[in-house]
């Protein structure tokens, strides 16, 4: 799994509440992604068995609205997402000192 | 639900067009999913202004349409049996003509009479060419026609304009 910014945001949204069902539009809003990015990503995660999709049961308050499809992480998905996010964070912190040190050697340039 | 806002009709149409670009087994389910989300956007309590909700819905539909190509490849990857049968240019896809290819050709034809249409002809042509390359839809000939007509019309109108301006001076 190649970690990208959008993927990281989606995983974070999923992990914020693992048990919560997430609809496409809700994910778009929470992860701030356009539908054109989100759906292919969800499809890929589904293929890898990390995300499961289900149709919602018809609710009482739905007022005749059609049922929506919701997504959530599978058990494996939760583990993989946590691991990947931790690794992504680790990569960032290990890179940071190098970036921070470089400008310091040039006097007069503050970061 | 008797009078639907115009933007939603456009969004509905885009979603249907997106579904037509998907393989048969996921097409219907995706259609239901996207239509339900579209309704949710149109009734989103967080967006107070109706026009903004409609704009959001339209943006959603455009994104969905755009994603159809990638979803199609993803569906292929999920069922290798289908990928083997479908190979590079699946039959059901080649039977479909890319809508933008048609738009490009039509704009190109109109451009012969009314030259400003050359611009959409060229733009649609390039977008359609990219989509056809990705999805394997039909309409390559139409794209070529649209692009040639568009460029010819642009060249002719530019030449005429320059000649006209030069003649005036």
């Amino acid at each position: 799994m190649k970690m990208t910014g959008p993927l990281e945001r989606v995983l974070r949204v999923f992990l914020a509440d693992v048990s919560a069902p997430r609809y496409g539009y809700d994910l778009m809003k929470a992860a701030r992604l356009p539908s054109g990015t989100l759906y292919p990503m969800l499809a890929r995660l589904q293929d890898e068995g990390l995300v499961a999709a289900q149709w919602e049961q018809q609710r009482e308050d739905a007022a005749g609205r059609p049922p929506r499809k919701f997504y959530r992480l599978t058990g494996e998905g939760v583990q993989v997402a946590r691991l990947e996010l931790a690794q992504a964070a680790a990569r960032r912190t290990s890179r940071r000192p190098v970036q921070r040190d470089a400008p310091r050697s040039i006097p007069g340039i503050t970061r | 639900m008797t009078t639907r806002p115009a933007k939603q009709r456009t969004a509905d149409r885009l979603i249907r067009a997106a579904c037509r670009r998907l393989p048969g087994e996921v097409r219907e389910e995706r259609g239901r999913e996207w239509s339900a989300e579209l309704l949710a956007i149109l009734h989103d309590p967080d967006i107070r202004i109706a026009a903004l909700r409609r704009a959001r819905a339209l943006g959603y539909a455009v994104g969905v349409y755009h994603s159809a190509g990638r979803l199609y490849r993803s569906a292929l990857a999920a069922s290798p049996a289908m990928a083997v049968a479908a190979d590079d240019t699946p039959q059901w896809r080649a039977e479909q003509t890319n809508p933008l290819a048609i738009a490009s050709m039509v704009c190109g034809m109109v451009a012969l009479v009314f030259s400003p249409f050359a611009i959409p002809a060229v733009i649609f042509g390039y977008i359609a060419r990219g989509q056809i390359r990705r999805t394997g839809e039909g309409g390559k000939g139409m794209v070529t026609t649209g692009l040639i007509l568009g460029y010819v019309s642009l060249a002719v109108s530019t030449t005429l304009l320059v000649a006209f301006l030069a003649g005036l001076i």
Side-chain angles (χ1 to χ4, degrees):
Chain A
M1 187 158 60
K2 194 172 144 265
M3 199 49 143
T4 56
L7 177 60
E8 205 175 319
R9 292 213 291 279
V10 166
L11 292 182
R12 268 184 218 292
V13 170
F14 272 127
L15 283 181
D17 186 352
V18 174
S19 59
R22 294 291 188 167
Y23 304 102
Y25 180 48
D26 298 338
L27 279 170
M28 279 170 58
K29 282 205 287 190
R32 297 211 200 145
L33 288 175
S35 51
T37 307
L38 180 76
Y39 284 110
M41 191 185 288
L42 285 176
R44 214 177 66 221
L45 290 171
Q46 254 181 297
D47 292 341
E48 289 170 13
L50 306 179
V51 160
Q54 257 178 303
W55 286 95
E56 73 177 351
Q57 301 297 312
Q58 194 60 270
R59 291 167 306 180
E60 288 298 311
D61 60 336
R65 304 246 187 94
R68 297 167 79 181
K69 198 176 178 181
F70 65 86
Y71 299 86
R72 51 180 179 71
L73 288 176
T74 60
E76 193 198 345
V78 174
Q79 285 175 1
V80 172
R82 287 208 175 112
L83 188 72
E84 291 284 343
L85 284 179
Q87 279 174 353
R91 273 197 298 275
R92 269 198 296 274
T93 47
S94 68
R95 257 206 315 263
R96 201 167 289 158
V98 183
Q99 289 171 341
R100 218 181 261 160
D101 286 344
R104 223 177 270 162
S105 60
I106 308 164
I109 295 176
T110 50
R111 209 161 173 249
Chain B
M1 203 66 72
T2 44
T3 50
R4 289 173 142 199
K7 286 277 196 248
Q8 195 202 327
R9 274 207 305 273
T10 315
D12 271 340
R13 241 177 247 151
L14 271 169
I15 285 179
R16 279 202 300 275
C19 291
R20 279 198 299 273
R21 298 172 74 199
L22 292 173
E25 57 256 50
V26 296
R27 191 183 295 174
E28 196 253 349
E29 193 178 348
R30 280 290 182 190
R32 275 192 292 148
E33 177 186 3
W34 288 335
S35 303
E37 293 300 307
L38 193 69
L39 266 178
I41 298 172
L42 287 167
H43 293 93
D44 187 353
D46 294 344
I47 307 174
R48 295 243 182 81
I49 304 161
L52 285 181
R53 287 198 297 268
R54 285 206 294 274
R56 187 90 204 244
L58 190 65
Y60 175 82
V62 170
V64 154
Y65 181 76
H66 193 68
S67 72
R70 270 183 291 170
L71 283 173
Y72 168 71
R73 280 202 300 281
S74 173
L76 273 193
S79 62
M82 197 182 132
V84 171
D87 205 21
D88 273 331
T89 309
Q91 237 163 6
W92 66 267
R93 271 201 165 271
E95 286 161 11
Q96 280 178 351
T97 308
N98 185 289
L100 280 179
I102 303 172
S104 170
M105 190 180 70
V106 171
C107 287
M109 286 170 170
V110 177
L112 294 177
V113 185
F114 186 59
S115 54
F117 271 84
I119 295 161
V122 171
I123 294 173
F124 289 157
Y126 280 114
I127 300 174
R129 198 155 79 172
Q131 287 180 350
I132 288 170
R133 198 176 295 149
R134 282 198 305 274
T135 62
E137 287 167 313
K140 275 183 197 160
M142 290 188 181
V143 168
T144 314
T145 313
L147 282 174
I148 290 176
L149 287 178
Y151 275 127
V152 165
S153 169
L154 268 183
V156 169
S157 56
T158 313
T159 315
L160 283 178
L161 188 71
V162 170
F164 180 65
L165 288 178
L168 271 187
I169 293 164

